[in-house]
Amino acid sequence: MAALRRLRQCHSASSAVSHLHTSSHVCAKQHYKMLVLGGGSGGITMSARMKRMLGAENVAVVEPSEMHYYQPIWTLVGAGAKTAASSGRPTASVMPSGVQWVKSKVQEINPDTNTVRTDDGTEISYEYLIVALGIQLHYEKIKGLPEGFGHPKIGSNYSIQTVEKTWKALQDFKEGNAIFTFPNTPVKCAGAPQKIMYLSDAFLRKTGKRAKANVIYNTSLPVLFGIKKYADSLWEIVKHRDLQVNLRQNLIEVRADKQEAVFENLDNPGETKVFEYEMLHVTPPMGPNLVIKASPLADEAGWLDLKKETLQHTKYPNVFGIGDCTNLPTARTAAAVAAQSAVLNRTISKILKKEKPDKTYDGYTSCPLVTSYNTVILAEFDYNGQPLETFPINQAKERRLMYHLKADVMPHLYWHGLLRGLWGGPGPYRKLLHLGMK
């Protein structure tokens, strides 16, 4: 129940993700040339790059978590293809050596005075600031959650506390409805809510239970996937495997004791439908980091307000951002962070020289759409929703090679490349080809 109590709190993606080097709880005022907020994918990646650019003694990272998680693998953990333990490492092991690790939570950002205050009262001043605080999970915005996770048959691949419950619910499935949801908010990795549906369908077929299952995907979106090229392929898979997709359906309540899920029809607000379930996978509503939202750095919706080409703040020229906490109009994925990191590194190097940034981010992001235990559709696209593909093949087709890339190659590159600031750039898969890793 302690884990469930933790879920009652609003989690930022970064605080569900990390903790740092050379710890500090000293309440005396501290100052750094470069201060990084958040020890998730973007924060660790940029702290490694900034260490090389400025020297470790000039860089600090604020992050409260002791563990860092490679969250993209949780899709496979929820389907039993990977272990939860394989997704995490101590933050100390991924933090660049010598960089100051402030093991606290960011409480307040004041860009007008170039200061940050942490929850232990420490005030830190900076010359330059990188904000990488991730996205906030809001299970509590669904009535009956997070306490509903105390019951069986329900899980969520979006939290380390609940991802293994997804696998347990799938293993225990007997007959009835297996329901998968997509909330009426922005989310990180927008393909993940349906990836677990495809994997669950494959598992039920493998175990001889599919004939007794109704596999249902209830999504708030008006489309199956935002990029038509890949959506067309996914619709073919849905039809071929007899998966039921209900558009514009938003989960508003879970009655876990009765195994019932209540959905609202977004095209007719107020109209609801109750579904009984034998298995329920919940993708929680998400929103901007609350510290950013309460600061002058936020746009009207609460996201970090950046210039989408350079990742520099629109109002404060010494503030930069990366990853899920930003208002960049592209899908929030680790691949996007990889692409953004190289652009941001170049932007900062130019700003430090009092020069104009000359490298632009085109919105590149990637979503490996896992469609079975050995196939993936590799979606890659830009700000305009146009495919921006790496390989000289039709990437809208299911392929075993892409599954291997997702399940085996990418985790290795994440731990040993991206987090060390050694891999990434616009079209990061393209760099793989250049390295001869085809």
Side-chain angles (χ1 to χ4, degrees):
M1 292 306 292
L4 296 179
R5 280 195 294 273
R6 287 197 296 274
L7 274 176
R8 296 175 190 274
Q9 304 168 352
C10 297
H11 294 187
S12 71
S14 67
S15 52
V17 170
S18 302
H19 237 38
L20 339 168
H21 239 56
T22 316
S23 65
S24 172
H25 277 293
V26 182
C27 288
K29 188 169 181 178
Q30 302 173 38
H31 176 82
Y32 297 95
K33 188 174 184 70
M34 181 64 70
L35 182 63
V36 180
L37 304 184
S41 302
I44 296 295
T45 298
M46 290 312 301
S47 65
R49 287 178 176 269
M50 292 301 100
K51 173 187 173 180
R52 285 200 296 275
M53 187 182 295
L54 301 171
E57 69 281 4
N58 293 310
V59 181
V61 187
V62 183
E63 169 58 51
S65 305
E66 290 288 352
M67 288 293 291
H68 181 105
Y69 292 100
Y70 177 55
Q71 296 183 32
I73 210 71
W74 286 348
T75 287
L76 299 180
V77 174
K82 296 285 184 179
T83 65
S86 72
S87 72
R89 296 185 180 181
T91 304
S93 71
V94 299
M95 181 62 51
S97 61
V99 166
Q100 183 74 14
W101 179 8
V102 182
K103 292 187 184 180
S104 299
K105 187 175 181 180
V106 178
Q107 199 74 20
E108 182 182 358
I109 307 170
N110 192 337
D112 292 308
T113 58
N114 294 330
T115 58
V116 167
R117 186 170 55 83
T118 65
D119 59 357
D120 65 359
T122 302
E123 184 174 89
I124 308 170
S125 59
Y126 59 82
E127 273 188 65
Y128 299 93
L129 181 71
I130 296 175
V131 183
L133 287 172
I135 197 169
Q136 210 95 11
L137 305 185
H138 290 293
Y139 287 100
E140 79 286 351
K141 290 191 175 181
I142 299 171
K143 186 177 179 182
L145 295 183
E147 58 270 21
F149 288 114
H151 293 262
K153 314 290 188 181
I154 176 175
S156 176
N157 292 351
Y158 276 87
S159 167
I160 190 61
Q161 284 84 26
T162 57
V163 62
E164 291 176 300
K165 290 183 63 63
T166 303
W167 175 226
K168 182 71 165 61
L170 183 55
Q171 288 176 294
D172 292 346
F173 187 95
K174 293 181 175 60
E175 61 179 312
N177 293 333
I179 302 176
F180 305 85
T181 75
F182 190 111
N184 190 28
T185 66
V187 301
K188 55 182 172 179
C189 195
Q194 62 182 287
K195 295 178 196 179
I196 186 60
M197 170 183 67
Y198 301 125
L199 286 163
S200 296
D201 169 71
F203 179 81
L204 294 174
R205 291 179 187 278
K206 183 171 66 174
T207 53
K209 300 176 182 178
R210 183 62 178 88
K212 295 184 177 181
N214 301 311
V215 180
I216 302 168
Y217 183 56
N218 282 355
T219 173
S220 67
L221 299 177
V223 294
L224 183 57
F225 191 71
I227 312 303
K228 185 178 184 302
K229 175 177 180 177
Y230 308 113
D232 289 346
S233 295
L234 294 171
W235 276 118
E236 288 300 315
I237 293 170
V238 163
K239 292 172 186 175
H240 178 70
R241 300 185 193 174
D242 192 26
L243 308 174
Q244 181 181 333
V245 176
N246 299 314
L247 303 176
R248 302 292 287 156
Q249 298 295 313
N250 184 44
L251 180 65
I252 59 172
E253 182 180 359
V254 175
R255 302 166 183 166
D257 55 335
K258 300 178 181 179
Q259 289 177 217
E260 293 178 346
V262 183
F263 292 84
E264 180 179 21
N265 181 355
L266 296 178
D267 288 333
N268 189 11
E271 177 187 310
T272 61
K273 184 175 181 180
V274 179
F275 289 75
E276 293 182 352
Y277 65 83
E278 171 71 1
M279 173 187 178
L280 176 65
H281 177 267
V282 177
T283 301
M286 303 182 202
N289 180 279
L290 299 181
V291 174
I292 296 173
K293 190 174 183 179
S295 79
L297 297 177
D299 66 7
E300 290 183 357
W303 304 98
L304 186 69
D305 195 12
L306 299 183
K307 298 175 183 177
K308 70 176 188 176
E309 295 86 8
T310 63
L311 312 188
Q312 186 178 27
H313 196 270
T314 56
K315 181 180 177 183
Y316 298 94
N318 65 331
V319 176
F320 311 89
I322 189 171
D324 296 350
C325 68
T326 70
N327 65 354
L328 302 174
T330 193
R332 295 169 167 86
T333 68
V337 167
Q340 292 164 19
S341 66
V343 175
L344 182 52
N345 190 69
R346 179 71 173 183
T347 293
I348 292 173
S349 70
K350 286 291 186 178
I351 296 295
L352 289 172
K353 297 172 185 174
K354 307 289 193 249
E355 297 175 3
K356 186 177 179 180
D358 61 355
K359 193 169 186 177
T360 60
Y361 175 51
D362 57 10
Y364 172 88
T365 191
S366 174
C367 184
L369 294 154
V370 183
T371 54
S372 75
Y373 284 91
N374 57 17
T375 56
V376 158
I377 288 173
L378 183 60
E380 294 180 283
F381 49 96
D382 62 15
Y383 275 139
N384 299 316
Q386 296 302 307
L388 199 63
E389 298 180 341
T390 297
F391 299 90
I393 53 178
N394 179 12
Q395 290 184 201
K397 182 179 178 180
E398 295 177 278
R399 296 184 186 275
R400 289 176 178 266
L401 171 64
M402 300 309 179
Y403 181 87
H404 176 63
L405 185 69
K406 158 74 176 175
D408 304 313
V409 177
M410 294 310 301
H412 180 81
L413 285 173
Y414 181 83
W415 296 114
H416 303 288
L418 182 63
L419 295 186
R420 296 180 181 179
L422 301 174
W423 179 72
Y429 294 124
R430 237 164 272 143
K431 194 165 183 179
L432 278 182
L433 295 181
H434 296 159
L435 293 172
M437 297 177 65
K438 299 183 180 180

